[in-house]
Amino acid sequence: MKKLSLFIISALATLTACEDKIDLDIAPGKSYPVLDAWITNEAGPQTIKFTMSVPFTDNNPAPIINDASITLFDLTNGKSYPFAFKENAYTYDATGNPIGIVDHAYKLHVEYKGEIFEAFDTLKRVPPVDSITLKFKKKEEAMSGKEGYYATMHAKDIEGGPIDYYWIRSYRTDTTRRLRDAFSIDGSYDEGVSDGAIFILPITESITDFSKPFQLNEKVIVKLKSVTKRSHEFLTQVDQQVNAGGLFAKVLENVKSNVNNTTPSGKTKILGWFGTSGVSRSEKLVK
């Protein structure tokens, strides 16, 4: 039996709020293997995380799976890349030779508990981040009321060809401190709106954490990543789940996985996603 506080905001004219504490007896639910596998064209270690899910009310870290066999196959050039378990994750050192190549198709092959799982994705093109600009705002100038430097990224969608789907992620000082995630289609929000156009507001300003803008001597880091349409749909659904909150929050649910059990009569189900990205990066020191 666990106590959860449910804050109910009244919409009555009195504009008062009340707090009801309700005891909920929540079943722990079934635990599933969860795959977090994202391959890029960047030089350096490529990492895949494989864990077991934990109940919603469990605050303990997700148990790590260390007895799987994971191999990445480049279906375009026929190469294969075995991932070895090291330091709580499965890794392949691509420092000398990046394994992600634009327009190449990839298959992730996972062997776990006597069953085989596979997932597929294609690494798409990505434009460069042209620049990052900074604007200092005083407390009274900023809508958030927070004084500091607000960053804007500048990029242009690739003209022609297929629709391009993007994932923008920003960091403060180093890439271990993620700030924000944003998503775009052809530099805008919807399909068919633009092609070959400059990325629009507020997407370009989404790289700043408005509750804590950048300060002097901090570094703004931006990664613009290409994704397939299926990966874009997965990522936006996850983002909605993670940031769901408030009175009209969506009910939490498992987002559909692209990892399929290919074993005849296989019974194990894996959650998570395998995706690939072309990545362009830019950074700027606040000074």
Side-chain angles (χ1 to χ4, degrees), residues 35-39 44-50 64-66 68-72 80-95 99 108:
L35 192 70
D36 179 6
W38 213 275
I39 304 301
Q46 299 285 305
T47 303
I48 295 173
K49 297 179 180 179
F50 199 25
I64 295 168
I65 297 173
N66 60 8
S69 175
I70 300 179
T71 306
L72 176 73
S80 61
Y81 306 93
F83 279 66
F85 184 79
K86 182 181 179 181
E87 296 179 356
N88 297 328
Y90 296 82
T91 61
Y92 181 90
D93 189 357
T95 301
I99 58 180
L108 190 69

Side-chain angles (χ1 to χ4, degrees), residues 127 153 155-158 163-168 182-204 206 224 232 236:
M153 63 157 257
K156 185 178 180 181
D157 173 53
I158 299 173
I163 294 173
D164 297 295
Y165 299 87
Y166 303 112
W167 172 18
I168 303 109
F183 307 94
S184 173
I185 303 174
D186 281 339
S188 183
Y189 283 114
D190 299 303
E191 295 181 359
V193 173
S194 63
D195 179 49
I198 294 173
F199 278 62
I200 66 168
L201 292 171
I203 294 172
T204 55
S206 65
L224 174 59
H232 184 270
T236 53

Side-chain angles (χ1 to χ4, degrees), residues 87-146:
E87 296 179 356
N88 297 328
Y90 296 82
T91 61
Y92 181 90
D93 189 357
T95 301
N97 188 20
I99 58 180
I101 302 174
V102 173
D103 291 332
H104 280 215
Y106 293 88
K107 176 179 75 173
L108 190 69
H109 178 92
V110 179
E111 297 180 17
Y112 175 63
K113 300 297 185 186
E115 297 183 353
I116 295 175
F117 306 85
E118 292 182 337
F120 299 84
D121 203 27
T122 300
L123 199 149
K124 299 295 186 178
R125 63 186 185 174
V126 64
V129 178
D130 294 328
S131 62
I132 298 172
T133 56
L134 298 168
K135 183 176 181 180
F136 179 78
K137 294 183 180 181
K138 294 183 178 179
K139 195 177 295 186
E140 58 271 20
E141 296 175 317
M143 292 185 62
S144 64
K146 304 293 183 179

